[in-house]
Amino acid sequence: INAEYMGTPPPETKQEIKPEPVVKPPEPPVDEPEKEVVKEKPVKKEKPVKTQDEDDKPAPKPKPKKEYKRDPRPHLNLVFIGHVDAGKSTISGHLLYLTGMVDERTMEKYEREAKIKGRESWKYAWAMDISEEERDKGKTHETGSGYFETKDRRFTILDAPGHKAFVPSMIGGACQADVGILVISARKGEFETGFEKGGQTREHAMLAKTAGVRHLVIVINKMDDPTVEWNQERYNECVDKLTPFLKVTGYQKGSYEFMPISGLSGANMAERLEPGVCPWYSGPCLMESLNSIPVPELSEDEPVRLPIQGKYKEMGLIVHGTNYSGAFNSGDKMILMPTKVPVWIDGIIHEGQEVERCFPGDNVQIRLKGVEEEDVHSGFVLCELKRPVPACTQFNAQVLLLECKNIITAGYTCVLHIHAIAEECTFSQLLCTIDRKTNKVLKKQPPFIKGGETVLVRIEVQQPVSLETFKTFSKLGRFMLRDEGKTIGVGVVTKLPGISSDKDEQ
């Protein structure tokens, strides 16, 4: 304890006195001669000599490019077409159920709900018809989509509406498809209604051919109906009436086939018919036929061409459509034509799963960044920045006129349907009439044209549209013309003024 802190003086201590050390004075410095400062020359560093061991070392390899793995099974887009109430949605939904894409529990739920509404036979159709309006009326309004797979292939289903009021939606579905499944009802009265003048069987088959569907599977449905009961005569009657019409439409032998099925019972869909049910048919079932159709070869090196079929909002802007050609990755910068708006690919969804790369032929949903929802419309085409699709307001076209009430003169207006575009157009010039068989010019600048003639015309639209000549890219060069709810003509783009040459028109 400190004594000062306690208030008492510290005890005295005797200090020892030590003698101071004697310090010697420093010696004076001795003058030394100054040394000359010599600047040293910089020494060049010699390059190290590589030894033999170092020469043997391999050079560093460049980073490998990222590889995107794809399911090796071929992919096909199917569109179901035909007259209203022929059974398109029922067959589509039953296919999903037979391939395991719709589980037993979900199907039981559909069956209960359909039974409550007194529509038990619509249970499979409800797998495709999702909206309440479609389920209540039993009519498909918009092209529904789904997908299924087999051991050898993958398929995307496009269920097109059959009512004549929704033909534009059917055209949008057919433009995305490789193969068409034309559904015919064998029930007495229904086949005749669909095939006769004004029925959708004829119009759908013709529109599918114009849209680029290269193979057609004609399924004679409802063969188990009490009015038919797998009758061979009724089946042959349908086949004999359809065959000449398909040949006139442009389908060559080998590009179409017939088969009897029952969409409700599933007969001849996944497994062949038993001899006791239909002894006169021994051909393949529907699944076997789909697995044997040749798959087109599509190149990833071609320019990207993805027409937008529709859009919706879900954690951002999502557009959907089928990629006609080329390939792109998530994160790529692209461009929307004809507005030339740059966009970024924020995500790609294929068959319900997020993927990193979109391949040609894929039916996908794409999440876009850099553009507002109101600035994107059906008919816009997603392209690469360096290889965009042409955009124009006028083009030359070769048109085959079908059934027209009156003669057509310059200034005639109708609705143009080309890939996902539906735009009002005008015949600004009638250039010439053409012999359909020889392709020779019959008359230049005719004053009018009429149904049944093949003509070369100049077509104008008010807003720029994205398209190609038929020779350059066929899927973006085919179109249909409709007026007053009827198809009045089909054609191909032959020349884009200021873009393509006169050789393309020949």
Side-chain angles (χ1 to χ4, degrees):
I1 300 173
N2 193 340
E4 293 181 1
Y5 182 77
M6 298 298 295
T8 57
E12 295 183 0
T13 55
K14 292 181 180 181
Q15 295 182 354
E16 295 182 359
I17 299 172
K18 295 182 180 180
E20 293 183 2
V22 179
V23 180
K24 292 181 180 181
E27 294 180 1
V30 180
D31 294 336
E32 294 182 358
E34 294 184 357
K35 294 182 180 179
E36 294 182 2
V37 178
V38 181
K39 294 182 179 180
E40 295 183 357
K41 294 181 181 180
V43 181
K44 292 183 179 180
K45 294 183 179 179
E46 296 182 359
K47 293 181 180 180
V49 180
K50 291 184 179 180
T51 62
Q52 189 173 357
D53 294 338
E54 290 178 343
D55 290 337
D56 294 340
K57 289 183 180 179
K61 294 181 180 180
K63 293 182 179 180
K65 291 183 179 180
K66 193 171 183 179
E67 294 184 2
Y68 298 92
K69 292 183 180 180
R70 190 189 189 192
D71 194 316
R73 291 174 296 179
H75 176 263
L76 281 175
N77 292 301
L78 313 176
V79 62
F80 283 80
I81 57 177
H83 193 68
V84 63
D85 292 333
K88 299 181 295 297
S89 296
T90 298
I91 296 173
S92 302
H94 209 149
L95 273 176
L96 296 179
Y97 173 68
L98 291 173
T99 53
M101 302 310 295
V102 177
D103 56 35
E104 190 74 34
R105 187 176 180 180
T106 304
M107 191 52 63
E108 288 176 358
K109 177 190 171 187
Y110 292 156
E111 187 175 2
R112 286 194 305 269
E113 293 174 351
K115 198 171 184 178
I116 292 171
K117 293 188 176 183
R119 304 291 186 179
E120 192 173 354
S121 61
W122 291 0
K123 60 180 181 179
Y124 293 113
W126 283 17
M128 299 299 297
D129 295 338
I130 299 173
S131 69
E132 287 298 323
E133 187 177 3
E134 289 179 327
R135 292 183 173 185
D136 290 341
K137 296 182 179 181
K139 293 178 182 178
T140 304
H141 293 180
E142 297 180 353
T143 300
S145 62
Y147 58 92
F148 69 93
E149 55 188 32
T150 63
K151 184 181 178 181
D152 303 319
R153 291 192 179 181
R154 297 174 298 120
F155 299 93
T156 297
I157 290 178
L158 300 164
D159 180 27
H163 197 276
K164 61 182 179 181
F166 307 110
V167 169
S169 181
M170 174 267 161
I171 293 173
C175 288
Q176 303 178 67
D178 306 302
V179 177
I181 299 180
L182 179 60
V183 182
I184 306 295
S185 174
R187 184 180 290 168
K188 287 188 177 180
E190 290 189 0
F191 167 71
E192 288 75 13
T193 303
F195 186 69
E196 287 174 2
K197 195 173 181 180
Q200 295 308 114
T201 300
R202 287 174 174 267
E203 187 174 17
H204 278 206
M206 180 199 60
L207 292 174
K209 181 64 179 177
T210 306
V213 173
R214 55 188 182 78
H215 192 94
L216 205 61
V217 180
I218 303 99
V219 291
I220 312 299
N221 190 28
K222 303 184 182 181
M223 287 296 294
D224 57 345
D225 188 79
T227 62
V228 183
E229 293 183 347
W230 298 97
N231 185 275
Q232 186 176 5
E233 292 182 2
R234 179 60 170 170
Y235 175 80
N236 290 337
E237 180 186 356
C238 297
V239 172
D240 293 341
K241 287 184 178 180
L242 285 165
T243 302
F245 166 73
L246 293 173
K247 289 181 179 178
V248 172
T249 306
Y251 288 98
Q252 299 177 354
K253 190 175 181 180
S255 64
Y256 61 90
E257 55 186 305
F258 294 89
M259 66 180 62
I261 68 166
S262 171
L264 186 59
S265 67
N268 205 36
M269 289 180 63
E271 296 179 358
R272 292 195 178 196
L273 288 167
E274 296 180 2
V277 176
C278 184
W280 48 267
Y281 180 80
S282 59
C285 65
L286 179 58
M287 295 289 252
E288 288 178 332
S289 176
L290 295 177
N291 281 325
S292 63
I293 295 174
V295 178
E297 293 184 5
L298 302 174
S299 173
E300 297 181 31
D301 299 327
E302 297 293 327
V304 173
R305 299 287 184 264
L306 196 155
I308 293 174
Q309 297 289 335
K311 61 180 179 178
Y312 59 92
K313 291 277 282 187
E314 185 179 315
M315 302 294 289
L317 174 61
I318 295 181
V319 298
H320 60 87
T322 298
N323 185 24
Y324 286 168
S325 68
F328 57 92
N329 306 325
S330 180
D332 284 357
K333 187 177 181 181
M334 310 284 281
I335 189 171
L336 276 176
M337 295 295 289
T339 55
K340 300 180 181 179
V341 175
V343 294
W344 282 262
I345 308 299
D346 193 40
I348 304 170
I349 303 169
H350 179 52
E351 295 181 351
Q353 294 182 351
E354 192 93 12
V355 295
E356 293 185 344
R357 186 170 176 84
C358 177
F359 294 91
D362 287 351
N363 189 289
V364 293
Q365 293 86 44
I366 301 170
R367 187 176 290 107
L368 295 180
K369 271 190 175 182
V371 65
E372 298 297 329
E373 183 183 7
E374 58 269 17
D375 296 329
V376 180
H377 302 282
S378 296
F380 282 16
V381 181
L382 193 63
C383 311
E384 298 170 69
L385 286 170
K386 295 182 179 180
R387 297 190 289 181
V389 64
C392 59
T393 56
Q394 60 179 354
F395 58 91
N396 291 4
Q398 183 174 317
V399 179
L400 169 62
L401 294 175
L402 303 174
E403 299 176 5
C404 304
K405 291 182 180 180
N406 304 311
I407 61 174
I408 292 175
T409 59
Y412 172 75
T413 60
C414 57
V415 179
L416 168 73
H417 293 269
I418 181 166
H419 57 89
I421 297 172
E423 189 82 17
E424 186 174 320
C425 69
T426 304
F427 283 21
S428 60
Q429 293 181 37
L430 306 181
L431 301 176
C432 64
T433 57
I434 300 173
D435 188 329
R436 189 178 177 187
K437 294 182 179 179
T438 62
N439 210 32
K440 290 183 179 180
V441 175
L442 298 177
K443 188 175 183 180
K444 292 185 177 181
Q445 297 183 345
F448 64 87
I449 52 180
K450 56 187 178 181
E453 290 186 325
T454 302
V455 294
L456 191 67
V457 298
R458 172 71 60 85
I459 295 177
E460 291 186 0
V461 292
Q462 293 182 351
Q463 301 294 331
V465 294
S466 299
L467 44 79
E468 299 257 25
T469 63
F470 179 76
K471 285 186 177 181
T472 304
F473 196 89
S474 61
K475 279 189 171 289
L476 296 183
R478 309 170 183 262
F479 64 86
M480 289 132 286
L481 300 171
R482 289 178 57 80
D483 189 18
E484 297 180 354
K486 293 183 179 180
T487 303
I488 59 102
V490 295
V492 295
V493 179
T494 58
K495 183 182 177 182
L496 305 178
I499 300 174
S500 59
S501 62
D502 293 335
K503 291 182 180 180
D504 295 335
E505 197 167 15
Q506 295 177 358

